Amino acid sequence: ETFEGPSLKGGFDNRWVGKSFSHNNGKTTIDPSDSNNYVLYFPETSTGSNFFSPPIKNQGPDGPVAVKFRYLGLKSHAGGCIGYIDERKFPGFQTWALCDDGNTMRSDGVWTSCQFLVPAEVASFRIALTDLNSPGGDAYFDDIQIGSGSVTTCSGVRVAKNVPPGQEGYSNAVVERLSLLLTAGRLGSQAKSIIADAFDGAGSADDGLTLAQQLIVTTSEFHTTDFVKSTDKPRDQPVIQHATGKPYKAVVYLMLSGGCDSFNMLVPYTCSNGLYESYLEVRQQVALQKDSLLPIPAKNQVCSEFGLHNKLPAIKSLYEDGDLLFFANTGVLTQPVTKDNYFRETNTQLFAHNTMQDASRKVDPYNTVSGTGVLGRMTDVLTRYGYNTGSFAIGHFSISLAGRGNKSGAPSVVDGKGISHFYLSDHLKKSMSKIHNKTSIESGIFADSWSASLMDSVVTSENLNDALRSVKTTVKFPNTEVGEKFSTISKLIATRKIRGVDVDTFHVVAPRFDTHADLEHAIQNLFIEINGALDAFAHEMKSINEWNNTVLIQVSDFARTLTPNGGNGTDHGWGGNYMLMGGSVKGRQVLGEYPAVFTTDGPLTLHRGRMIPSTPWEGPFQGIAAWLGIEASDMLEVCPNLDNFNSSYLIDPERIFHKVKSPPPTPEIPRFPSNAGTSSEASFRSASLITFALSLGAALLLFLQR
């Protein structure tokens, strides 16, 4: 090892690593006594910052090998140490053979040559280096090589000056090739120069190649087809917003992904028309016995009491405390439909996970505001009102949070366990900042937008990570996937003042509700997890005095068939029952219209007990928008399909929340006439073919553009 590096500008001939496999614990620098030579030192070290070579076989021509090297200590007790570690024990404890501690290895300010032996029983080893002083910087190593010897000593040792394996201009040649491969040769000269310098400073040729690849895939030339001309001016840091003083509010959208069997969540209990008995008959082996249910009262419904699944005791408590309500038989609707015309008059592909989830998140069946979701459109309106808003997808991105363009900013995606630390090495971070300096007017707008977004994201991620580290929950959340996600949401809400927001929206997913088999066993475990997470969340919001300012709506793809399948499970349905909870909710009620008939002769019951919804998603989300303070005149921006429903399908927000100004009723719309099923299906198939053709054309156009 000559420490001259791949381009003879200082670096490593081999791939050295730290105990954590980091290459940053040892640095190359110019020899204090020879400006044409590069050596190793530890400028900011501690005894834990050990540095290790690649594995070496302990077998020379004459037996075990000796490690030879040159050493320079600029002062007495300079702290340099060298030794070995058995490869079988790496990373473990190394054995120091020679140390500049005043005894075994002394330099007295001049280069000295030394060697140490590795025991014969060690078949393979790594050379270990460190500086015992902290901070270090006075101990230097050079010309480490393998030879033969009989004793560990710093007397009479000859260390040959090896020819460095690197070559001048190597890093420039590598970057040129990477530019051709990854950017079609469009990488700018300034970026090439920065990346080549980073390559040379990374350590070995392998380290340099890795760093160069990382840097190139951050460039605008890699992500866009623009040419870029940078300036020497760094980009402005993102502006930290300050809360406007408006009362804080948070909306949490909980998706029970897969299709929750919500007719085993909210079950008929005491019903004047014998609905519970009909429930037993229709649901057969998946029906829940009355003595296993948790009864709750209800008014103005077919049942004076409903039964909750017995694994939802916290939901029962919230309901009875007046903090939780249910929306009965709610779901995706394009417009009012009947059993005869629903297939033709519904613009959403029914009974499919992807389309039904997408429709529930967008609440825009005609795609009036393409690429947006219902929460994103709310934040757009609130941003226009002067609110500072935050949007967080827990786990992965959700269209529900997307607004139009840059009106309210892009949602942040946060890991379920919190913000994953975005580690950038010193080399990478410093070089990235230079590459993404402000661009000149000759650069393309897409390139500049990419650089601005990337650097803003890095800073925002670091700031958010710091903010989350500064808070802890007062309640212990369950050690489950959903529990961890709600713990993260709670911490984000607790950072509201640090982030300077007035309104937050959150999207979170609870998976595995697609219960095609063994329904009762599966749903018990799922409800236990949901119950524990929501119970902890409610208590946490109360403890930080944000319960009255927080609303959680629970959604799912669809409910499930009332009749079971052959595997003691249920299949994809339509309308279902959903929860809304929060301190501002007028709880202890079931809103909408719970089905009065479960058999197929009912006006809403399709094949196998799939229920046509009697309340569209516009009903709950219009109420949430009104609670947030969105005016009636802007409600169509939030729910573009709202005018397709009259007040008999919607719910007055004042019935949902305390102290909400409700929007005016929409005009009466006549129900659509019934049509024969055959013509409906034919019309649906024709529409599907047209949609497929348009999609195929769009895909082909996108391919050609690329």
Side-chain angles (χ1 to χ4, degrees):
E1 176 64 67
T2 67
F3 301 112
E4 297 300 313
S7 301
L8 305 182
K9 293 182 177 181
F12 303 118
D13 307 329
N14 303 280
R15 197 162 201 179
W16 294 71
V17 296
K19 269 194 173 179
S20 60
F21 288 90
S22 166
H23 62 268
N24 293 317
N25 294 323
K27 311 286 185 182
T28 57
T29 187
I30 295 174
D31 185 341
S33 62
D34 182 358
S35 60
N36 294 316
N37 185 45
Y38 288 92
V39 295
L40 175 76
Y41 80 136
F42 296 84
E44 298 176 359
T45 190
S46 67
T47 54
S49 296
N50 302 329
F51 203 50
F52 301 93
S53 72
I56 302 166
K57 289 184 178 181
N58 189 17
Q59 184 63 49
D62 302 317
V65 302
V67 177
K68 299 175 180 285
F69 61 96
R70 296 196 307 130
Y71 173 74
L72 171 65
L74 294 184
K75 66 178 184 180
S76 178
H77 298 75
C81 268
I82 188 168
Y84 66 91
I85 183 171
D86 192 323
E87 173 62 12
R88 294 170 298 181
K89 299 178 181 179
F90 182 79
F93 291 102
Q94 64 287 323
T95 299
W96 297 123
L98 293 166
C99 286
D100 186 0
D101 54 6
N103 297 312
T104 58
M105 183 170 65
R106 295 182 60 180
S107 167
D108 296 324
V110 295
W111 283 100
T112 185
S113 298
C114 304
Q115 68 181 29
F116 69 88
L117 304 183
V118 179
E121 61 268 19
V122 178
S124 179
F125 67 95
R126 292 174 183 257
I127 299 169
L129 294 165
T130 196
D131 187 331
L132 296 177
N133 294 335
S134 184
D138 295 312
Y140 299 84
F141 293 90
D142 195 15
D143 294 316
I144 301 175
Q145 52 199 262
I146 302 302
S148 59
S150 58
V151 64
T152 296
T153 182
C154 287
S155 177
V157 178
R158 182 180 177 277
V159 177
K161 187 67 178 175
N162 291 331
V163 176
Q167 62 185 59
E168 290 185 4
Y170 179 77
S171 59
N172 291 323
V174 171
V175 172
E176 283 289 349
R177 292 178 183 178
L178 289 175
S179 171
L180 182 61
L181 177 65
L182 300 176
T183 71
R186 290 180 295 104
L187 193 63
S189 58
Q190 289 167 293
K192 289 178 184 177
S193 177
I194 293 167
I195 295 171
D197 287 344
F199 185 108
D200 291 330
S204 68
D206 287 341
D207 294 325
L209 177 60
T210 299
L211 182 58
Q213 291 170 330
Q214 290 172 335
L215 287 170
I216 288 179
V217 298
T218 74
T219 63
S220 299
E221 291 94 334
F222 180 81
H223 289 274
T224 73
T225 56
D226 287 347
F227 287 89
V228 180
K229 186 174 181 181
S230 296
T231 69
D232 59 356
K233 297 178 181 179
R235 290 190 176 271
D236 298 329
Q237 293 288 306
V239 177
I240 299 175
Q241 63 185 8
H242 300 283
T244 64
K246 297 179 176 71
Y248 175 79
K249 288 187 176 182
V251 178
V252 181
Y253 182 118
L254 169 61
M255 169 63 75
L256 304 189
S257 179
C260 175
D261 195 315
S262 54
F263 284 99
N264 268 16
M265 176 171 68
L266 187 69
V267 181
Y269 193 85
T270 303
C271 314
S272 58
N273 68 343
L275 188 60
Y276 177 73
E277 289 69 27
S278 176
Y279 163 86
L280 290 176
E281 181 180 349
V282 171
R283 301 233 75 182
Q284 302 174 41
Q285 71 268 27
V286 300
L288 300 176
Q289 297 304 307
K290 186 174 284 190
D291 59 4
S292 73
L293 299 172
L294 306 174
I296 58 172
K299 295 180 180 179
N300 304 316
Q301 291 290 343
V302 65
C303 302
S304 60
E305 287 184 301
F306 289 95
L308 293 180
H309 194 284
N310 60 18
K311 299 304 181 184
L312 297 172
I315 304 306
K316 173 181 168 66
S317 296
L318 288 167
Y319 182 91
E320 292 181 337
D321 289 344
D323 289 343
L324 184 146
L325 61 76
F326 284 93
F327 294 108
N329 195 29
T330 298
V332 172
L333 277 176
T334 303
Q335 55 199 352
V337 295
T338 67
K339 292 173 67 173
D340 294 324
N341 68 8
Y342 77 92
F343 215 53
R344 183 184 71 249
E345 305 297 350
T346 300
N347 206 46
T348 302
Q349 180 186 337
L350 296 173
F351 318 128
H353 291 296
N354 58 332
T355 56
M356 297 288 272
Q357 282 193 19
D358 200 48
S360 301
R361 289 169 170 141
K362 289 181 177 178
V363 193
D364 182 15
Y366 290 109
N367 213 23
T368 306
V369 193
S370 180
T372 67
V374 64
L375 296 183
R377 296 191 297 273
M378 288 185 198
T379 57
D380 282 351
V381 175
L382 293 170
T383 300
R384 192 170 70 243
Y385 288 177
Y387 287 80
N388 291 338
T389 60
S391 298
F392 295 93
I394 311 301
H396 55 80
F397 174 77
S398 170
I399 192 67
S400 66
L401 299 170
R404 182 184 289 183
N406 291 321
K407 284 187 176 182
S408 51
S412 298
V413 180
V414 178
D415 186 74
K417 296 183 179 181
I419 299 290
S420 299
H421 180 56
F422 186 50
Y423 173 74
L424 295 174
S425 68
D426 292 340
H427 283 301
L428 184 59
K429 192 170 186 178
K430 187 182 297 183
S431 300
M432 268 181 60
S433 297
K434 292 179 181 178
I435 290 171
H436 295 284
N437 276 346
K438 290 182 177 180
T439 57
S440 67
I441 195 170
E442 293 93 339
S443 296
I445 188 172
F446 297 114
D448 187 70
S449 296
W450 164 258
S451 290
S453 296
L454 175 64
M455 299 313 293
D456 282 358
S457 296
V458 170
V459 175
T460 300
S461 176
E462 291 175 344
N463 291 342
L464 192 55
N465 188 47
D466 291 341
L468 280 179
R469 286 181 177 181
S470 69
V471 298
K472 292 184 179 179
T473 60
T474 61
V475 173
K476 183 175 176 59
F477 280 77
N479 186 26
T480 62
E481 179 181 348
V482 180
E484 289 175 342
K485 290 177 178 178
F486 273 94
S487 175
T488 296
I489 292 174
S490 299
K491 291 176 182 177
L492 286 166
I493 290 175
T495 66
R496 61 202 178 282
K497 293 181 181 178
I498 299 173
R499 294 182 288 111
V501 294
D502 307 308
V503 174
D504 273 323
T505 53
F506 300 92
H507 181 277
V508 59
V509 173
R512 298 183 294 275
F513 277 85
D514 195 16
T515 50
H516 286 287
D518 199 7
L519 167 67
E520 184 52 23
H521 175 73
I523 209 166
Q524 278 195 38
N525 294 328
L526 293 167
F527 280 165
I528 289 171
E529 185 172 3
I530 293 297
N531 184 81
L534 295 186
D535 186 35
F537 180 67
H539 279 91
E540 179 65 19
M541 291 301 99
K542 292 172 184 177
S543 72
I544 63 174
N545 297 318
E546 292 296 345
W547 180 235
N548 291 341
N549 303 325
T550 302
V551 161
L552 181 148
I553 183 167
Q554 173 258 313
V555 181
S556 193
D557 324 22
F558 35 64
R560 306 191 75 81
T561 55
L562 293 176
T563 59
N565 57 33
N568 294 326
T570 51
D571 301 316
H572 299 181
W574 194 355
N577 309 304
Y578 302 99
M579 297 180 283
L580 183 79
M581 58 186 278
S584 295
V585 172
K586 284 185 177 178
R588 202 178 169 84
Q589 59 176 332
V590 178
L591 297 177
E593 185 179 347
Y594 198 89
V597 181
F598 282 159
T599 55
T600 53
D601 55 351
L604 301 175
T605 314
L606 302 175
H607 178 61
R608 290 195 57 206
R610 295 180 174 96
M611 306 303 300
I612 297 175
S614 50
T615 299
W617 279 123
E618 282 80 357
F621 284 108
Q622 174 191 237
I624 292 172
W627 175 74
L628 286 173
I630 293 175
E631 298 290 338
S633 58
D634 293 315
M635 204 57 72
L636 278 175
E637 185 173 344
V638 174
C639 298
N641 197 45
L642 196 61
D643 281 348
N644 264 5
F645 302 99
N646 60 44
S647 55
S648 67
Y649 284 90
L650 303 174
I651 302 170
D652 188 336
E654 289 190 349
R655 294 182 61 197
I656 304 174
F657 293 101
H658 299 286
K659 300 178 181 179
V660 170
K661 182 173 72 174
S662 60
T666 52
E668 291 289 327
I669 297 174
R671 290 183 178 272
F672 292 88
S674 62
N675 293 280
T678 304
S679 62
S680 298
E681 292 176 12
S683 176
F684 177 79
R685 291 191 188 102
S686 298
S688 297
L689 287 171
I690 294 170
T691 302
F692 173 75
L694 290 172
S695 300
L696 185 62
L700 180 59
L701 177 61
L702 181 61
F703 174 77
L704 292 173
Q705 287 174 333
R706 288 180 175 175

